[in-house]
Amino acid sequence: MSQYNIKKYAVIGAGNMGSGIAQKIATEGHPCILVDLDDEKVERGMNIIKDLLAQGVERKVFRPQQVEKILANLHGTSDWSELADVDLVIEAVFENVDVKRSVFERLSKNCKETAILATNTSSFYVRDLVSAVSHPERLIGLHYFFHPAKNRLVEVIGHEGTSPEAYAAAWASQEAIGKTPIWSADAPGFVVNRYFVPWVNEGVRLLGEGVANLATIEWAAKKAFGVGMGPFELMNVTGVPISMHAANTLGETLGAFYAPGQALIDFCATGEKNWSLEGEVDESKYDVIADRMLGVTFYVASKLVDEGVASVEDIDIGARVGLRWPAGPFELLNQTGVERSRSLAEAAAATYDLEIPEILVKAENHGIPIELVSLSDVGDVEEVRFNRPAAMNALDKTMFIQFDGKLQLARATGKPFVLRGTGKAFVAGADIKFFVDSLNSDSYPAIAEFAGYGQKLFATLGGGEHATVSRLHGLALGGGAEMAISTDYIVASPNAVLGFPETSIGIFPGLGGTQRLPRRIGYPFAKYLLYTGQMLDARTALSIGLIDAVADFSELDATCYEWATKKSIVGREAPTSCSHEKMQAVWDFFEQYSVDEILSGEADCMGNPNLEKAVKRMSQKSYHALKLCEALFVEGAHLELDRALELESRDLATAFNHADALEGLSALLEGRRPNFQQPAFA
Ligand SMILES: NC(=O)c1ccc[n+]([C@@H]2O[C@H](COP(=O)([O-])OP(=O)(O)OC[C@H]3O[C@@H](n4cnc5c(N)ncnc54)[C@H](O)[C@@H]3O)[C@@H](O)[C@H]2O)c1
């Protein structure tokens, strides 16, 4: 067991960032102390949180009872002795290194030795604070993004002496509070700001050089990157002085390329607050602006990889999750084409006499590989990781091809492996848009090919020479849940959620769900889950045998590795009795009644509200899909798993070629209720 077991959090500095970080921690259900210099400042920070939560209630993001719970997790104080039993402290005080050092000295005195101490600094190195910390192996950087209660991205930064255990615990703590962590070296600006600040600055330079007016630069930048705000509007929103400070800091450390453009310096000297965004757009200037901004982005993103500051994947995740760009720098680079991107980056670098990074020099014409699925060696175990958090790691053909490749590599190591997702989800299903596009263009064969590929891959996941484990730390839905039940074991964090929502969208689980699920938890429970789409939390999933273990975040990795070194499971026998007393009525009901009996009202719920709810949910599903599931259960029950799985492939066309499939899938994309065909008795 790790010495860092993070259950209680504290945030120092109740300003813009600190209050938001504390709010997020409390919202995710963890106790958090918010500390500032005096009670008045603490109260101001608490009021920022209360106001935001009240707005959330108005906008129906939160229910009043939820807000009460969140606030109950928070405690504001200026008494540092209350930090004695805290497990992770996040410092978010003024960006002044002396103030920060004094805070870390004070924390070293007030906190236990195994409390992880983190800084949210934007412009200093983490190592700048080492001398102020006792046991600096627990010092870490956790760099959040505004607004930290909403923006999921966090950069996790170790200094040279940070222990791997402290780093792993800090990382897990961020998953526990619903963040999407990325790895960063202890380098100037860390990952995202290093390319985002020059991106903004390039807009300023274009303006200063008179290439175009401000409105044109805004327009072109938005169009080229597919973003909602251009550099000037963004500066207005975050505060122009912050941009000036960020460019200055990077410029001082890294040289003229990063230093603020003269137009920004001049603007700050006027004392005005906001750039005026008014003006006529000159569309003829698009190419020159887009090329300059892309060139700068490609240059810096590549430089970050060359310097070992971040991986290609994390740089792209940073842009998608932290900046909400629809594509990361490397995706954009590949879309633009390597040759052209190289010359754009060369042009950006040449102005400041810089060399273009090796990764760009060596890039092959088909593009820089982006590992949507990656493989890493963690000792006795290999980890296969899904790296598409902005899309909740949804499965598509590219993911399958890469997954296939990594599975082969993982097997070649002769070690067990663990599957895990990055961000909020393990895997939240298949790519719905692909299904809808395929159906609309009459290309069902593309769907059949995709499902066939997935089935083939999933069939290799369990029962092999070495065990496989799914590490669930968030959502595992649809294809993601089917992937998990294909592995030998499932280990979940307390906030994991599993579900099979296919019948809500007019189809059935076609990646083994109709056959593996009943063999894992018994037919009655499998029917309950597939017919109602009911999501299960980790504890309930454990109680019915759907998963094998629940572990707190700080123990999640270790528990997965433990299960991975067990024997792999060859075949599962469907349980024939209910393993969980509280669920007996559900078991009996679904064991006894058919879909038609339930939906026609013949089945007796005996006044049980859970069953009544289940029936209501079923009535909202696609009847056609429910009947297909039922038939697959019945027919598959008497077959060996291999043969039973073939039934799914056989019936897939029947599901997808029915009107309910296009209706259900389209409704999901459009965010509306589906209008399914009703059974005759309805
Ligand atoms: N604002 C952003 O967008 C952003 C983004 C990422 C990181 N950061 C970093 O987060 C940190 C905080 O930034 P902010 O924008 O929240 O600043 P802020 O000025 O809004 O808040 C700072 C808070 O720290 C408190 N404080 C100052 N000295 C203290 C001390 N010795 N002990 C306890 N509290 C103290 C202040 O009273 C104030 O409430 C900075 O390091 C900043 O670089 C900011």
Side-chain angles (χ1 to χ4, degrees):
M1 184 166 163
S2 164
Q3 59 177 322
Y4 305 109
N5 188 5
I6 298 170
K7 293 210 182 318
K8 191 167 176 185
Y9 297 71
V11 177
I12 315 295
N16 290 324
M17 292 300 288
S19 62
I21 298 166
Q23 180 185 329
K24 178 66 178 163
I25 295 167
T27 304
E28 295 295 321
H30 306 276
C32 182
I33 302 182
L34 184 58
V35 180
D36 210 300
L37 288 168
D38 55 45
D39 289 344
E40 203 181 304
K41 294 194 173 71
V42 171
E43 201 185 328
R44 193 192 55 197
M46 291 295 285
N47 284 337
I48 299 177
I49 299 175
K50 285 178 189 158
D51 288 349
L52 270 175
L53 292 173
Q55 287 170 24
V57 171
E58 264 170 43
R59 295 207 324 273
K60 301 211 176 346
V61 181
F62 296 116
R63 279 174 281 115
Q65 300 91 308
Q66 273 176 304
V67 168
E68 265 172 45
K69 266 192 175 170
I70 295 169
L71 290 174
N73 285 332
L74 279 170
H75 168 60
T77 183
S78 56
D79 176 2
W80 291 55
S81 70
E82 293 190 41
L83 296 170
D85 64 344
V86 158
D87 305 305
L88 169 64
V89 185
I90 300 154
E91 166 276 313
V93 304
F94 300 140
E95 191 67 359
N96 173 309
V97 78
D98 293 326
V99 176
K100 286 190 188 283
R101 281 205 185 108
S102 73
V103 166
F104 277 93
E105 276 163 14
R106 215 167 157 191
L107 289 174
S108 299
K109 287 192 192 109
N110 284 280
C111 299
K112 60 187 181 190
E113 285 176 9
T114 54
I116 292 181
L117 306 182
T119 175
N120 179 40
T121 181
S122 308
S123 50
F124 303 116
Y125 294 109
V126 176
R127 58 179 177 269
D128 288 342
L129 300 167
V130 165
S131 60
V133 178
S134 68
H135 302 281
E137 69 279 358
R138 41 84 180 252
L139 172 68
I140 203 118
L142 288 175
H143 186 232
Y144 297 92
F145 291 79
F146 194 78
H147 186 289
K150 294 178 189 152
N151 192 318
R152 289 188 179 278
L153 190 70
V154 60
E155 294 166 346
V156 185
I157 309 125
H159 63 89
E160 228 173 48
T162 302
S163 76
E165 293 77 30
Y167 188 91
W171 182 285
S173 75
Q174 298 310 293
E175 289 186 317
I177 62 164
K179 292 282 174 188
T180 300
I182 60 172
W183 184 90
S184 170
D186 192 14
F190 307 124
V191 184
V192 171
N193 282 349
R194 176 81 176 267
Y195 59 83
F196 180 60
V197 173
W199 183 85
V200 170
N201 205 19
E202 196 62 10
V204 169
R205 286 186 171 148
L206 285 159
L207 182 70
E209 292 165 27
V211 173
N213 68 3
L214 190 150
T216 304
I217 299 168
E218 275 296 285
W219 165 79
K222 286 200 275 193
K223 186 168 160 192
F225 287 80
V227 292
M229 283 191 248
F232 295 96
E233 190 175 356
L234 272 164
M235 279 191 268
N236 287 352
V237 171
T238 52
V240 181
I242 289 187
S243 301
M244 174 74 182
H245 179 255
N248 251 332
T249 316
L250 283 182
E252 278 161 19
T253 323
L254 298 168
F257 174 91
Y258 295 88
Q262 191 59 42
L264 180 56
I265 299 170
D266 294 345
F267 182 84
C268 287
T270 65
E272 277 181 59
K273 201 161 169 259
N274 286 334
W275 297 93
S276 161
L277 306 176
E278 301 298 313
E280 201 159 314
V281 170
D282 176 356
E283 297 196 3
S284 70
K285 301 279 172 61
Y286 175 76
D287 284 345
V288 61
I289 298 168
D291 285 358
R292 285 267 302 260
M293 296 195 71
L294 286 168
V296 162
T297 309
F298 296 157
Y299 167 73
V300 182
S302 306
K303 190 92 176 79
L304 281 169
V305 177
D306 262 25
E307 288 175 9
V309 174
S311 68
V312 165
E313 292 72 32
D314 279 354
I315 290 168
D316 273 15
I317 291 174
R320 276 177 168 273
V321 178
L323 303 176
R324 300 204 176 86
W325 287 8
F330 287 100
E331 265 178 292
L332 283 168
L333 191 154
N334 288 343
Q335 282 166 17
T336 307
V338 168
E339 217 172 301
R340 207 171 118 64
S341 300
R342 194 185 289 132
S343 70
L344 295 180
E346 248 162 6
T351 322
Y352 295 88
D353 248 354
L354 300 166
E355 308 244 308
I356 68 158
E358 277 294 285
I359 183 174
L360 262 181
V361 175
K362 290 190 178 149
E364 293 178 24
N365 277 348
H366 53 77
I368 291 180
I370 301 174
E371 295 202 323
L372 297 177
V373 186
S374 58
L375 181 69
S376 42
D377 179 344
V378 283
D380 296 337
V381 172
E382 293 287 310
E383 269 188 357
V384 180
R385 187 187 285 256
F386 301 103
N387 291 321
R388 232 184 137 205
M392 302 238 239
N393 302 319
L395 300 170
D396 62 9
K397 196 170 164 196
T398 315
M399 290 279 274
F400 273 165
I401 292 170
Q402 293 202 10
F403 186 34
D404 194 357
K406 297 303 176 207
L407 285 177
Q408 289 178 30
L409 289 175
R411 284 205 190 90
T413 64
K415 289 194 253 176
F417 58 88
V418 173
L419 305 183
R420 63 187 290 172
T422 305
K424 196 184 162 194
F426 170 68
V427 170
D431 183 347
I432 300 293
K433 191 164 174 307
F434 158 74
F435 288 150
V436 173
D437 290 347
S438 302
L439 289 180
N440 279 329
S441 58
D442 278 338
S443 60
Y444 167 73
I447 295 177
E449 192 195 328
F450 170 77
Y453 195 4
Q455 281 212 346
K456 232 171 69 194
L457 285 179
F458 287 11
T460 66
L461 286 179
E465 197 184 330
H466 297 287
T468 52
V469 176
S470 293
R471 175 196 188 272
L472 307 194
H473 68 290
L475 299 174
L477 301 179
E482 291 180 276
M483 184 193 288
I485 61 171
S486 305
T487 55
D488 291 305
Y489 304 108
I490 303 176
V491 177
S493 70
N495 70 349
V497 172
L498 291 98
F500 300 85
E502 283 85 349
T503 54
S504 324
I505 49 174
I507 55 176
F508 63 79
L511 298 175
T514 66
Q515 305 306 322
R516 287 198 186 91
L517 187 63
R519 283 164 174 79
R520 202 178 248 267
I521 59 174
Y523 279 86
F525 280 155
K527 288 178 183 176
Y528 168 58
L529 293 185
L530 261 53
Y531 293 172
T532 65
Q534 178 68 49
M535 312 258 186
L536 296 185
D537 61 32
R539 299 266 167 221
T540 316
L542 182 67
S543 73
I544 65 165
L546 177 53
I547 64 174
D548 300 286
V550 178
D552 275 346
F553 270 95
S554 42
E555 294 304 315
L556 192 55
D557 286 339
T559 312
C560 284
Y561 304 156
E562 208 177 282
W563 282 83
T565 46
K566 288 185 198 290
K567 254 190 157 47
S568 122
I569 296 184
V570 184
R572 287 190 188 245
E573 293 268 320
T576 50
S577 60
C578 176
S579 52
H580 187 43
E581 202 184 314
K582 274 196 185 151
M583 299 285 280
Q584 187 70 49
V586 169
W587 176 281
D588 293 344
F589 186 82
F590 284 93
E591 184 172 47
Q592 188 177 352
Y593 296 116
S594 69
V595 167
D596 281 348
E597 284 167 337
I598 296 173
L599 289 180
S600 65
E602 237 174 89
D604 185 0
C605 290
M606 294 175 300
N608 181 322
N610 278 341
L611 293 176
E612 281 164 1
K613 214 164 99 192
V615 174
K616 182 156 182 242
R617 291 178 68 103
M618 269 179 79
S619 68
Q620 293 157 351
K621 310 290 172 228
S622 154
Y623 175 68
H624 183 250
L626 292 177
K627 291 293 282 184
L628 279 175
C629 280
E630 184 172 55
L632 284 164
F633 283 139
V634 173
E635 203 178 342
H638 309 290
L639 300 174
E640 290 291 318
L641 180 64
D642 289 358
R643 292 286 315 286
L645 288 168
E646 287 169 12
L647 303 177
E648 279 187 358
S649 316
R650 183 198 66 191
D651 286 355
L652 209 61
T654 319
F656 275 97
N657 288 326
H658 190 273
D660 276 6
L662 183 56
E663 169 59 15
L665 290 159
S666 311
L668 182 64
L669 272 191
E670 291 158 21
R672 61 174 171 85
R673 270 181 188 274
N675 188 7
F676 291 128
Q677 292 181 2
Q678 294 296 315
F681 51 74

